[in-house]
Every structure is written in C-alpha cells, then in structure tokens.
Amino acid sequence: MNRLLIIKTLGLVLLCEAVLLLPSWLLALARQEADARALFFCLLLTASAGGLMMLARPRSTQVGYREGFVIAALAWFFCALFGSLPYLFTGTLNSLADAFFEAMSGFTTTGASVIRDVEALSHGLLLWRSTTHWLGGMGIIVLTLALIPSLKIAGMQLFKAEVPGPTKSKMVPRIVNTSRELYKVYLIITAAEIVLLKLAGMDLFDAVIHTFGTVATGGFSSKNLSIGAYDSLAIELIISFFMIICGMNFALHFYLLKGKWRPLWEDSETRLYLGIIATSTLLIGWELSSSLDLSWGQALRQSLFQVSSIITTTGFASADFDQWPPFSKFVLLALMFIGGCAGSTGGGIKSARLLILVKAVSRQVTRLLHPQAVVPVRLGTGVVSREVVESVQNFFFLYILILAAATLVIAALGTDMVSSLSAVAATLGNVGPGFGLVGPMTNYADLPAVAKWILSLCMLTGRLEIYTVLVFFSIKTWRD
C-alpha cells in the first residue's frame, strides 16, 4: 500500500477544509464576534496539519483500489476531527464526543445536532456549521478530484469509494472533468436557491445557511424551530422544490443544463422517486386532514414539506411530525430507509437499489414458473449485471444487520426502543431527526457519550455506503 500517497492526499483534503473555514473566520472578524480568534486558530491548525502532510513524497501517484477506499474513509474522519475544533475552541461544546458528533453530522449531511440553542451561536460558527454540510454534500473527495491534476493522481478509485449508488459512471471521459462538472451544477443550484429565498423574505445570511442545508440535503438551520420558525408558504415551497431536485441524480441535472431532457424522462429511478413522493404526500395529507382537523391545503402543505425533507434525508422540519398519527409516522420512517436517488446528495438505501431488489424478486418468481426462461434485471433500457444485483442484495442485508445491531446497543445504554431505532435509522440514513428523544423539536444532546460515538460511526457508514468502511477495517486491506 502506498501510505505516503494516502498521507499526501489527506493533506490536500485538509487544506481544502482550511480554505472553506476562511469565510467563517472573516465573517466573525467583520462582525467583531468573540469567536473570531478561535476560528482563526482552528484555520491555522488545520492548514498547518494539511501542509505538513503535503510534504510527503510518494513513490507513485497511482491510486489503487485499496488506497482509494482508505483515503475516502480517512478523509471523512479527519475532516470531522478537525471540523470539530471550532465547537471545542469556541466553548460551544465541552466534550470531544459532542463536537465530533456535530462535525460528523455536518460533513455527512445528517443534520443531527447536540446543540440545544442554535440561535445563541455566533454568525461565524453558524456559517461553518452549514459549510460542513455544503462540503460534504457533493463530497470531500469529489472536490479534491477537481483540484487533483496538480498531484497527477488517477482518481477513479477515489470517485468509486465516495460517490453513492449501486453503479458509478463518468459524465465526461476524464474523472477530473466529471468532478468539475458536478460542482458547476452544485454551484448553480446553490446560487439559484439563495436568490429565491432572498426574494421570498429571508435575509441573506439565513438564505445562505438554509440553502447550504438544502442542496446538501443536510438540514442544519439557524433557527431552533427550523423552517417552521418562518411560517411562510413561499419559503416552504422553494425549499421543498430544491430538496426534491437535490435528491435526484446530479448527472441528470448536468444533462438538463446541456439541453438534454430525454435522460430525465427515461430514468426509471427518478420516476419511482417522484411517484413515492406524490403517493406519500397524498396519504399523509389525507390522514392529517381527517385526524388533526386541518384543511386539505394545510394538510398537503405540511405533508409535502416533511415527505420531501425525510425522503431526501434533509431533515428540515416545518411541524412537529412526532405528534402526527401513527400511520403518518410509519410512512416517514419508511421514507428514512428509502432515501434519495443514486448520485444525489441524499442518503438512505437509494431508490435505485429498491428498484433493483423489486425486479430481482420479480425475476426469481418468473424463473420459478418458467425455469428455462432468461429474465434479465433492467433499469430503464439498460441491463443490470449479475454482480450489481448481488451487490445490492448484500448491501440491503448489511444495512438491516447494522441497523439491528446498533439499535440493540443504543437500547442497552438505557434509551427506549422507539428512540433507539429511529436514532440509528436517522443517522445510518443521514436523515437527522427521528422520533421520541431525538424528534424534530428535540435533539441528540441527552444521549450517552458512547451512543454519540456509535451514531457518529453510523453516519460515516451511511454516507460512504457501508462497503468503504468495511474495506477500511478489513485486515486484508492493510496487508502488503
């Protein structure tokens, strides 16, 4: 294994993190906030660590499979570790468990928080908190790959280790150009939402904070009541729209910007994803209107926003859905597992995997009836290989196994079963809020420190989609 190459690449990642910490420090400095000095020290420490690691001289700049998985796992760990320093140095959080949890939640776009009073934070720290979302949304490695030519590193292995979904494909021939195109789309969507939220009545700072939380499907807000604090139909509709499109495959947005609409209409995963959103919205809206004595308009407004927020694993809240009727809560819990589309900033199992699983079951039933029949699994017009089908089936098994094991451990620490299950489901799926003790109007602050470390690992496992983390901890990975 090329360990010096791993160190050098991680150094570049930390330098990128330090650069993105710069706006938060400058904002705190401009507003003469007390946190400015602490943020500058964090910036200096992160940049120094990254610079020292960049001094490594690897014998080769070729990234193999093992190096790719190790870099991906360690990059997210180190970013969360150094990203936790602002919370510690400003005195916002007093324990490493809390600070690491908050940082990991930001970078993995989970949106789970241990900060009880968000509105008491300085503007500089709030911006950093949301910047971790924006950086983690499209991916730390994807951003690094956009800058990678200076290191002459072949980056497809890094791309495969980080980008979510059962298949990984390049939009343009070179992976570096693919990374750049993805970030161009990301920037365009970010700028568009900021402008629209400003026009809808948000001040510029809040518009930036909530845009970062939306396009990254993260959910960090500058308000204790999240989006519900604004009580604005226009703001909820704008954020719902952008949550939905950011839960779609970003490659489709790339083609749309090129004037190619056909890939969007032909994408079976997108049709399933939008169909689930429409069906869930109507079902929950129907129950809310009949059980909570809401008008159809009010019920659909609340239903659409929360369905969009949960299925895209954003985690914003416009209402306390923990108080909704059981059927509506069950639908939201199911949406936590489904998640967004492959190649999106959303978490969860992904609609593509769900579609492949359903079609694999259908194929098995057909083959039982017609043993000699050749029935391929298709996604749209393409045939899914046997290897991909097996990978999806194994992924689903591992996902449920990790969910069950982590839930039992959290429950053994003294947390009730509903809170334990929803906490693990919400962190493994990078959703954020759950039910019970970790509901939308509460947070994870009251959980034991051990539970926070376990849930932090769940966030990382969910964001890197299990296999990268398993490969990292495998003994075979580290054998020369």
Side-chain angles (χ1 to χ4, degrees):
M1 183 181 293
N2 193 343
R3 291 176 174 82
L4 291 178
L5 176 61
I6 294 172
I7 293 172
K8 190 178 185 71
T9 308
L10 291 175
L12 178 59
V13 170
L14 289 180
L15 286 177
C16 290
E17 182 177 3
V19 170
L20 288 172
L21 182 54
L22 185 61
S24 300
W25 169 62
L26 291 175
L27 178 62
L29 193 65
R31 296 181 61 90
Q32 298 182 338
E33 294 177 340
D35 289 346
R37 180 177 295 181
L39 290 173
F40 176 73
F41 187 67
C42 294
L43 188 158
L44 189 63
L45 191 60
T46 305
S48 299
L52 287 174
M53 295 170 78
M54 285 284 290
L55 296 177
R57 293 290 179 265
R59 64 182 183 274
S60 169
T61 57
Q62 184 68 34
V63 177
Y65 284 102
R66 291 193 298 174
E67 286 85 358
F69 284 114
V70 170
I71 289 171
L74 286 179
W76 287 81
F77 173 80
F78 275 102
C79 276
L81 183 63
F82 281 87
S84 68
L85 297 181
Y87 301 112
L88 290 172
F89 290 176
T90 60
T92 302
L93 297 171
N94 297 320
S95 72
L96 180 59
D98 284 345
F100 187 82
F101 180 95
E102 194 77 17
M104 182 63 79
S105 177
F107 281 110
T108 58
T109 72
T110 302
S113 181
V114 294
I115 299 175
R116 298 181 188 276
D117 187 5
V118 174
E119 295 177 23
L121 300 182
S122 66
H123 282 67
L125 192 58
L126 279 173
L127 181 59
W128 170 242
R129 187 168 176 260
S130 292
T131 300
T132 60
H133 265 351
W134 194 85
L135 175 58
M138 186 52 64
I140 299 167
I141 302 299
V142 174
L143 176 61
T144 305
L145 287 175
L147 309 171
I148 216 75
S150 61
L151 289 177
K152 299 179 181 178
I153 295 175
M156 188 60 192
Q157 306 311 326
L158 294 174
F159 188 83
K160 287 181 176 180
E162 182 184 57
V163 174
T167 59
K168 328 287 184 182
S169 59
K170 296 183 286 186
M171 299 183 303
V172 291
R174 297 183 66 228
I175 195 64
V176 171
N177 291 339
T178 294
S179 302
R180 290 174 178 171
E181 294 299 331
L182 284 171
Y183 261 96
K184 284 180 184 178
V185 175
Y186 200 48
L187 285 167
I188 290 171
I189 294 175
T190 299
E193 187 179 356
I194 290 174
V195 171
L196 289 176
L197 287 178
K198 185 73 174 66
L199 292 175
M202 271 193 188
D203 64 60
L204 181 59
F205 179 77
D206 282 353
V208 170
I209 295 298
H210 291 97
T211 294
F212 283 7
T214 303
V215 298
T217 60
F220 277 158
S221 173
S222 55
K223 303 294 183 182
N224 291 329
L225 295 178
S226 191
I227 305 303
Y230 295 95
D231 193 22
S232 168
L233 176 60
I235 288 174
E236 290 175 25
L237 289 176
I238 291 169
I239 292 179
S240 294
F241 171 76
F242 279 97
M243 285 191 294
I244 291 171
I245 67 170
C246 289
M248 295 165 59
N249 192 326
F250 267 72
L252 297 177
H253 302 324
F254 168 78
Y255 293 128
L256 284 176
L257 291 176
K258 298 292 183 181
K260 300 177 181 178
W261 291 82
R262 191 170 180 178
L264 177 63
W265 302 126
E266 293 180 348
D267 188 66
S268 55
E269 182 187 22
T270 300
R271 293 198 299 269
L272 174 64
Y273 166 72
L274 295 177
I276 291 173
I277 291 175
T279 302
S280 301
T281 298
L282 290 174
L283 287 174
I284 292 178
W286 171 77
E287 186 177 47
L288 293 182
S289 65
S290 59
S291 300
L292 301 183
D293 197 27
L294 297 175
S295 68
W296 253 105
Q298 292 174 318
L300 287 177
R301 172 182 170 180
Q302 291 189 18
S303 176
L304 174 63
F305 188 88
Q306 291 309 149
V307 166
S308 303
S309 178
I310 296 301
I311 193 172
T312 60
T313 70
T314 304
F316 281 138
S318 62
D320 187 1
F321 56 78
D322 196 25
Q323 303 302 317
W324 284 2
F327 174 76
S328 297
K329 291 166 68 174
F330 176 79
V331 172
L332 292 180
L333 181 63
L335 295 179
M336 289 183 186
F337 290 96
I338 296 172
C341 299
S344 71
T345 58
I349 293 175
K350 301 290 185 303
S351 299
R353 288 194 178 95
L354 180 64
L355 197 57
I356 291 172
L357 283 171
V358 171
K359 293 193 174 186
V361 171
S362 176
R363 179 187 65 174
Q364 186 63 26
V365 171
T366 302
R367 292 180 63 183
L368 289 173
L369 296 173
H370 307 281
Q372 303 302 319
V374 178
V375 186
V377 174
R378 295 182 180 274
L379 270 184
T381 57
V383 176
V384 180
S385 68
R386 182 177 179 179
E387 290 76 11
V388 171
V389 174
E390 291 178 352
S391 175
V392 168
Q393 292 171 335
N394 292 337
F395 177 91
F396 183 76
F397 170 75
L398 287 171
Y399 197 95
I400 300 301
L401 183 64
I402 293 170
L403 175 76
T407 299
L408 288 175
V409 173
I410 301 297
L413 294 172
T415 307
D416 67 273
M417 186 55 68
V418 171
S419 298
S420 299
L421 175 61
S422 65
V424 175
T427 50
L428 188 60
N430 303 132
V431 178
F435 300 102
L437 293 177
V438 295
M441 298 302 150
T442 56
N443 62 21
Y444 291 71
D446 293 327
L447 294 181
V450 175
K452 292 169 186 173
W453 286 113
I454 294 170
L455 294 176
S456 295
L457 181 59
C458 286
M459 294 181 214
L460 180 62
T461 304
R463 177 58 181 82
L464 295 180
E465 302 211 310
I466 300 177
Y467 286 116
T468 298
V469 176
L470 290 182
V471 169
F472 177 79
F473 284 111
S474 172
I475 296 176
K476 296 178 181 178
T477 302
W478 300 96
R479 287 176 179 167
D480 289 329

